[in-house]
PDB file of all heavy atoms in Angstrom:
ATOM      1  N   PRO A   2      90.065 178.641 -27.901  1.00 57.00           N
ATOM      2  CA  PRO A   2      91.159 178.724 -26.937  1.00 57.00           C
ATOM      3  C   PRO A   2      90.634 178.803 -25.508  1.00 57.00           C
ATOM      4  O   PRO A   2      89.562 179.342 -25.265  1.00 57.00           O
ATOM      5  CB  PRO A   2      91.895 180.000 -27.330  1.00 57.00           C
ATOM      6  CG  PRO A   2      90.940 180.776 -28.148  1.00 57.00           C
ATOM      7  CD  PRO A   2      89.969 179.817 -28.744  1.00 57.00           C
ATOM      8  N   PRO A  15      94.784 175.765   3.349  1.00 94.00           N
ATOM      9  CA  PRO A  15      93.794 175.775   2.269  1.00 94.00           C
ATOM     10  C   PRO A  15      92.692 176.821   2.488  1.00 94.00           C
ATOM     11  O   PRO A  15      92.596 177.423   3.550  1.00 94.00           O
ATOM     12  CB  PRO A  15      93.208 174.369   2.336  1.00 94.00           C
ATOM     13  CG  PRO A  15      93.287 174.003   3.780  1.00 94.00           C
ATOM     14  CD  PRO A  15      94.543 174.657   4.297  1.00 94.00           C
ATOM     15  N   ARG A  17      88.327 177.314   1.616  1.00 97.00           N
ATOM     16  CA  ARG A  17      87.119 176.588   1.206  1.00 97.00           C
ATOM     17  C   ARG A  17      86.652 177.082  -0.157  1.00 97.00           C
ATOM     18  O   ARG A  17      86.762 178.267  -0.488  1.00 97.00           O
ATOM     19  CB  ARG A  17      86.016 176.760   2.250  1.00 97.00           C
ATOM     20  CG  ARG A  17      86.321 176.029   3.548  1.00 97.00           C
ATOM     21  CD  ARG A  17      85.120 175.921   4.463  1.00 97.00           C
ATOM     22  NE  ARG A  17      84.406 177.174   4.652  1.00 97.00           N
ATOM     23  CZ  ARG A  17      84.598 178.024   5.653  1.00 97.00           C
ATOM     24  NH1 ARG A  17      85.499 177.750   6.571  1.00 97.00           N
ATOM     25  NH2 ARG A  17      83.896 179.135   5.742  1.00 97.00           N
ATOM     26  N   GLY A  19      83.686 177.580  -1.452  1.00 97.00           N
ATOM     27  CA  GLY A  19      82.675 178.631  -1.442  1.00 97.00           C
ATOM     28  C   GLY A  19      83.292 180.008  -1.243  1.00 97.00           C
ATOM     29  O   GLY A  19      82.919 180.977  -1.920  1.00 97.00           O
ATOM     30  N   ALA A  28      81.693 183.984  -8.311  1.00 97.00           N
ATOM     31  CA  ALA A  28      80.327 184.010  -7.781  1.00 97.00           C
ATOM     32  C   ALA A  28      80.104 185.386  -7.165  1.00 97.00           C
ATOM     33  O   ALA A  28      81.018 185.970  -6.573  1.00 97.00           O
ATOM     34  CB  ALA A  28      80.137 182.919  -6.727  1.00 97.00           C
ATOM     35  N   GLY A  31      77.432 184.346  -1.552  1.00 94.00           N
ATOM     36  CA  GLY A  31      77.333 182.971  -1.096  1.00 94.00           C
ATOM     37  C   GLY A  31      76.178 182.199  -1.723  1.00 94.00           C
ATOM     38  O   GLY A  31      76.306 181.020  -2.036  1.00 94.00           O
ATOM     39  N   LYS A  35      76.492 178.806  -3.972  1.00 96.00           N
ATOM     40  CA  LYS A  35      75.721 177.593  -3.675  1.00 96.00           C
ATOM     41  C   LYS A  35      74.955 177.119  -4.910  1.00 96.00           C
ATOM     42  O   LYS A  35      74.946 175.929  -5.234  1.00 96.00           O
ATOM     43  CB  LYS A  35      74.761 177.869  -2.520  1.00 96.00           C
ATOM     44  CG  LYS A  35      73.955 176.667  -2.101  1.00 96.00           C
ATOM     45  CD  LYS A  35      73.058 176.996  -0.924  1.00 96.00           C
ATOM     46  CE  LYS A  35      72.225 175.774  -0.549  1.00 96.00           C
ATOM     47  NZ  LYS A  35      71.325 176.063   0.576  1.00 96.00           N
ATOM     48  N   LEU A  37      75.657 177.712  -8.094  1.00 98.00           N
ATOM     49  CA  LEU A  37      76.601 177.188  -9.092  1.00 98.00           C
ATOM     50  C   LEU A  37      77.013 175.759  -8.743  1.00 98.00           C
ATOM     51  O   LEU A  37      77.077 174.890  -9.628  1.00 98.00           O
ATOM     52  CB  LEU A  37      77.848 178.071  -9.169  1.00 98.00           C
ATOM     53  CG  LEU A  37      77.687 179.446  -9.801  1.00 98.00           C
ATOM     54  CD1 LEU A  37      78.942 180.273  -9.578  1.00 98.00           C
ATOM     55  CD2 LEU A  37      77.374 179.323 -11.286  1.00 98.00           C
ATOM     56  N   ALA A  40      74.182 173.257  -9.267  1.00 98.00           N
ATOM     57  CA  ALA A  40      73.944 173.037 -10.699  1.00 98.00           C
ATOM     58  C   ALA A  40      75.110 172.305 -11.366  1.00 98.00           C
ATOM     59  O   ALA A  40      75.094 172.097 -12.581  1.00 98.00           O
ATOM     60  CB  ALA A  40      73.704 174.378 -11.393  1.00 98.00           C
ATOM     61  N   GLU A  41      76.111 171.923 -10.571  1.00 98.00           N
ATOM     62  CA  GLU A  41      77.299 171.220 -11.067  1.00 98.00           C
ATOM     63  C   GLU A  41      78.019 172.003 -12.156  1.00 98.00           C
ATOM     64  O   GLU A  41      78.499 171.453 -13.138  1.00 98.00           O
ATOM     65  CB  GLU A  41      76.930 169.807 -11.542  1.00 98.00           C
ATOM     66  CG  GLU A  41      76.384 168.938 -10.424  1.00 98.00           C
ATOM     67  CD  GLU A  41      76.136 167.495 -10.823  1.00 98.00           C
ATOM     68  OE1 GLU A  41      76.257 167.160 -12.017  1.00 98.00           O
ATOM     69  OE2 GLU A  41      75.832 166.709  -9.913  1.00 98.00           O
ATOM     70  N   ALA A  55      84.652 172.123   0.194  1.00 97.00           N
ATOM     71  CA  ALA A  55      85.819 171.426  -0.361  1.00 97.00           C
ATOM     72  C   ALA A  55      87.055 172.304  -0.179  1.00 97.00           C
ATOM     73  O   ALA A  55      87.008 173.516  -0.385  1.00 97.00           O
ATOM     74  CB  ALA A  55      85.601 171.118  -1.841  1.00 97.00           C
ATOM     75  N   ARG A  58      93.806 174.035  -2.382  1.00 96.00           N
ATOM     76  CA  ARG A  58      95.197 174.354  -2.059  1.00 96.00           C
ATOM     77  C   ARG A  58      95.755 175.249  -3.165  1.00 96.00           C
ATOM     78  O   ARG A  58      95.239 175.282  -4.278  1.00 96.00           O
ATOM     79  CB  ARG A  58      96.027 173.075  -1.974  1.00 96.00           C
ATOM     80  CG  ARG A  58      95.518 172.108  -0.943  1.00 96.00           C
ATOM     81  CD  ARG A  58      96.552 171.933   0.127  1.00 96.00           C
ATOM     82  NE  ARG A  58      96.036 171.058   1.174  1.00 96.00           N
ATOM     83  CZ  ARG A  58      96.030 171.388   2.449  1.00 96.00           C
ATOM     84  NH1 ARG A  58      96.505 172.549   2.828  1.00 96.00           N
ATOM     85  NH2 ARG A  58      95.567 170.563   3.357  1.00 96.00           N
ATOM     86  N   ALA A  59      96.802 175.955  -2.859  1.00 95.00           N
ATOM     87  CA  ALA A  59      97.457 176.801  -3.857  1.00 95.00           C
ATOM     88  C   ALA A  59      97.759 175.967  -5.099  1.00 95.00           C
ATOM     89  O   ALA A  59      98.260 174.849  -5.002  1.00 95.00           O
ATOM     90  CB  ALA A  59      98.736 177.401  -3.289  1.00 95.00           C
ATOM     91  N   VAL A  63      90.147 176.344 -10.572  1.00 98.00           N
ATOM     92  CA  VAL A  63      88.692 176.353 -10.447  1.00 98.00           C
ATOM     93  C   VAL A  63      88.120 177.003 -11.704  1.00 98.00           C
ATOM     94  O   VAL A  63      88.565 178.084 -12.105  1.00 98.00           O
ATOM     95  CB  VAL A  63      88.255 177.144  -9.193  1.00 98.00           C
ATOM     96  CG1 VAL A  63      86.738 177.181  -9.086  1.00 98.00           C
ATOM     97  CG2 VAL A  63      88.869 176.528  -7.943  1.00 98.00           C
ATOM     98  N   ARG A  69      88.496 180.938 -15.411  1.00 97.00           N
ATOM     99  CA  ARG A  69      89.318 180.051 -14.585  1.00 97.00           C
ATOM    100  C   ARG A  69      90.147 180.885 -13.612  1.00 97.00           C
ATOM    101  O   ARG A  69      90.610 181.965 -13.954  1.00 97.00           O
ATOM    102  CB  ARG A  69      90.258 179.217 -15.463  1.00 97.00           C
ATOM    103  CG  ARG A  69      89.515 178.322 -16.425  1.00 97.00           C
ATOM    104  CD  ARG A  69      90.427 177.379 -17.185  1.00 97.00           C
ATOM    105  NE  ARG A  69      91.427 178.091 -17.955  1.00 97.00           N
ATOM    106  CZ  ARG A  69      92.586 177.553 -18.356  1.00 97.00           C
ATOM    107  NH1 ARG A  69      92.879 176.307 -18.052  1.00 97.00           N
ATOM    108  NH2 ARG A  69      93.457 178.245 -19.059  1.00 97.00           N
ATOM    109  N   PRO A  75     100.987 184.239  -1.123  1.00 80.00           N
ATOM    110  CA  PRO A  75     101.985 185.298  -1.331  1.00 80.00           C
ATOM    111  C   PRO A  75     103.395 184.778  -1.039  1.00 80.00           C
ATOM    112  O   PRO A  75     103.594 183.932  -0.193  1.00 80.00           O
ATOM    113  CB  PRO A  75     101.598 186.383  -0.325  1.00 80.00           C
ATOM    114  CG  PRO A  75     100.292 185.987   0.245  1.00 80.00           C
ATOM    115  CD  PRO A  75     100.064 184.551  -0.067  1.00 80.00           C
TER     116      PRO A  75
END
Side-chain angles (χ1 to χ4, degrees):
R17 290 193 312 265
K35 182 178 178 181
L37 289 170
E41 298 186 353
R58 301 244 177 233
V63 179
R69 298 187 301 158

